[in-house]
Amino acid sequence: MRMSVTRMVGMDCTLAPALISMLHRSIEGHMLVSGHCKRINLALQGGGSHGALTWGVLDRLLEDDRLQIAEISGTSAGAMNAVVLADGFERGGREGARAALASFWRAISRAALTSPLQRSPLDRVLGRYSLDASPGFLFFEGLSRVLSPYQMNPLNLNPLRDLLERQVDFDNVNRCKAISVHVTATHVRTGRARIFSRGAVTVDSVMASACLPQLYPAVMIDDEPYWDGGFSANPALMPLVTSKASPDIVIVQINPVVRHDTPTSARDILNRVNEISFNTALIKELRAIFLMKEIVAAKGVDLGAAGQTHIHLIHTDAEVQDLSASSKMNAEWAYLQLLFQRGRGWAEAWLEANFDRIGQESTFDLEAFFDDPSVVPGQAAQ
């Protein structure tokens, strides 16, 4: 017999939100225990507003009740998506997570309305979302080459931090038992990655993970300075490799690994250098996993959960070629919606092609990827 929530709580509507949250968690937990879901771990890259691509991917994955997200490792925008998702999931299960992500990105777009980084009139007419010709972008880009953020922003004002504090309850993130979150930042003095996991995921660790040193002073945690996690792990895979929650790691790749054209302008060269540097750590971790799997296969070494890792990649090479580096600073709602829909399309196509292989084998061919440096990731994901 079906009964409304208000009847179940004796018509006391003030208890409804808490009861709904409890019911969501109960249903998710039951499906998890009864084995109805395939468990996956997610690795989310950073990339400014291009993180809306990841939002789209996450929205589609959360929509599919055949899947259960167990752990998330995120860097920069990937870390923000991760904590927003975990907070929303703790509040209201899958739908709570989807609603939280939509609310977060909508808040980002509203905050950007007063930003001096706006498209030029010509770009608006031509329907381009690049900021390459934006007067505000060009001004701050030039200024950042002669003045450090300690000079330009001595009060260390950061509207994004304020927004994150309003949008995310970090107690929920650390309390969430269904989904564990790992956030990576780069220790400035040593250059090594520091991974903040359950109990240590805070607004400081997320802001450190997203701290571009050209724009913001280093974030201090335990009296130590931290910069963007993309310099050392974009994102960190090792917490997921050693996880017992799931052997399947799904990487959401939003930064182009391959560019089909050789950059020749000063701006394009600098942008490509940044792309390479922010992908290098991920590629090195993938190579380590590839070598580990070869050793396991050749020598029969038992590495426990680490030796059973399955790697998957959600990425469409063709759909990132037209995304300029400067558009990572563009948070117009129309642009975020465009990226969101692309991300949902990526996830839809990946699920259609690979769902049955989750839990069985990798769908990203690491051998092909490392045998030929010119292989495009989308082509290696067979």
Side-chain angles (χ1 to χ4, degrees):
M1 184 172 109
R2 304 186 73 175
M3 185 178 295
S4 71
V5 169
T6 52
R7 286 186 62 194
M8 290 171 66
V9 298
M11 302 304 290
D12 185 353
C13 293
T14 62
L15 297 179
L19 181 57
I20 291 170
S21 177
M22 182 177 68
L23 287 172
H24 273 300
R25 291 197 295 271
S26 176
I27 292 169
E28 298 286 353
H30 172 72
M31 294 183 70
L32 199 61
V33 172
S34 58
H36 293 170
C37 291
K38 290 191 175 186
R39 292 166 66 89
I40 57 173
N41 294 329
L42 298 178
L44 310 181
Q45 275 200 326
S49 66
H50 293 182
L53 288 163
T54 303
W55 166 33
V57 170
L58 295 174
D59 187 76
R60 180 61 186 88
L61 295 181
L62 287 163
E63 190 178 71
D64 195 323
D65 59 12
R66 300 172 301 169
L67 294 173
Q68 173 65 40
I69 299 169
E71 299 196 26
I72 308 175
S73 177
T75 293
S76 195
M80 294 188 185
N81 275 318
V83 296
V84 171
L85 186 154
D87 176 32
F89 194 94
E90 180 67 8
R91 294 172 189 267
R94 295 172 185 272
E95 292 307 311
R98 294 178 68 195
L101 285 164
S103 174
F104 172 75
W105 285 100
R106 193 69 171 111
I108 290 286
S109 72
R110 290 195 185 101
L113 290 174
T114 56
S115 168
L117 307 182
Q118 304 290 339
R119 286 186 291 164
S120 69
L122 179 60
D123 284 328
R124 291 180 183 276
V125 170
L126 296 177
R128 297 187 302 218
Y129 289 101
S130 167
L131 296 181
D132 287 353
S134 162
F137 177 79
L138 294 172
F139 172 77
F140 282 105
E141 182 185 50
L143 200 62
S144 68
R145 295 182 181 179
V146 293
L147 296 177
S148 83
Y150 296 89
Q151 297 166 306
M152 288 193 295
N153 186 12
L155 298 179
N156 197 14
L157 301 177
N158 192 333
L160 183 57
R161 180 190 181 93
D162 299 334
L163 185 150
L164 196 63
E165 288 181 318
R166 289 194 302 271
Q167 291 283 319
V168 178
D169 183 336
F170 283 89
D171 288 337
N172 276 343
V173 176
N174 289 295
R175 185 187 303 122
C176 185
K177 293 182 179 179
I179 301 173
S180 297
V181 172
H182 310 279
V183 171
T184 303
T186 303
H187 188 256
V188 176
R189 294 189 300 105
T190 64
R192 293 199 296 268
R194 177 174 174 182
I195 300 170
F196 300 86
S197 299
R198 180 176 285 147
V201 179
T202 64
V203 66
D204 283 332
S205 63
V206 175
M207 293 310 300
S209 182
C211 179
L212 290 172
Q214 301 92 336
L215 301 179
Y216 300 105
V219 175
M220 303 300 293
I221 301 176
D222 300 330
D223 295 324
E224 293 291 338
Y226 290 91
W227 282 343
D228 196 295
F231 295 117
S232 55
N234 192 21
L237 299 184
M238 284 304 113
L240 307 182
V241 170
T242 57
S243 167
K244 295 181 180 179
S246 171
D248 293 270
I249 300 175
V250 181
I251 302 167
V252 182
Q253 172 89 28
I254 62 175
N255 289 319
V257 173
V258 174
R259 283 289 186 186
H260 302 303
D261 300 320
T262 302
T264 55
S265 71
R267 179 184 297 280
D268 288 345
I269 290 170
L270 180 60
N271 290 341
R272 186 56 186 151
V273 167
N274 288 333
E275 287 174 349
I276 290 171
S277 66
F278 274 87
N279 280 324
T280 296
L282 174 62
I283 292 172
K284 286 184 176 179
E285 284 201 84
L286 286 173
R287 181 175 287 280
I289 293 171
F290 173 58
L291 293 174
M292 177 185 69
K293 291 173 73 70
E294 282 198 322
I295 292 171
V296 169
K299 300 186 179 297
V301 178
D302 183 8
L303 297 179
Q308 305 300 317
T309 303
H310 305 143
I311 300 296
H312 312 277
L313 184 77
I314 296 181
H315 174 78
T316 299
D317 171 71
E319 291 197 351
V320 294
Q321 294 298 317
D322 67 330
L323 303 181
S324 69
S326 66
S327 68
K328 293 180 180 180
M329 306 295 288
N330 186 349
E332 293 177 55
W333 183 238
Y335 186 46
L336 298 183
Q337 282 288 92
L338 172 67
L339 297 175
F340 168 78
Q341 292 299 337
R342 283 192 186 185
R344 275 190 60 91
W346 291 7
E348 180 71 41
W350 182 81
L351 285 169
E352 173 115 12
N354 300 300
F355 178 81
D356 290 341
R357 297 165 67 186
I358 298 172
Q360 305 297 321
E361 61 181 348
S362 294
T363 59
F364 181 58
D365 190 343
L366 289 173
E367 183 174 4
F369 181 68
F370 287 114
D371 276 353
D372 184 354
S374 65
V375 166
V376 175
Q379 296 172 347
Q382 302 296 331

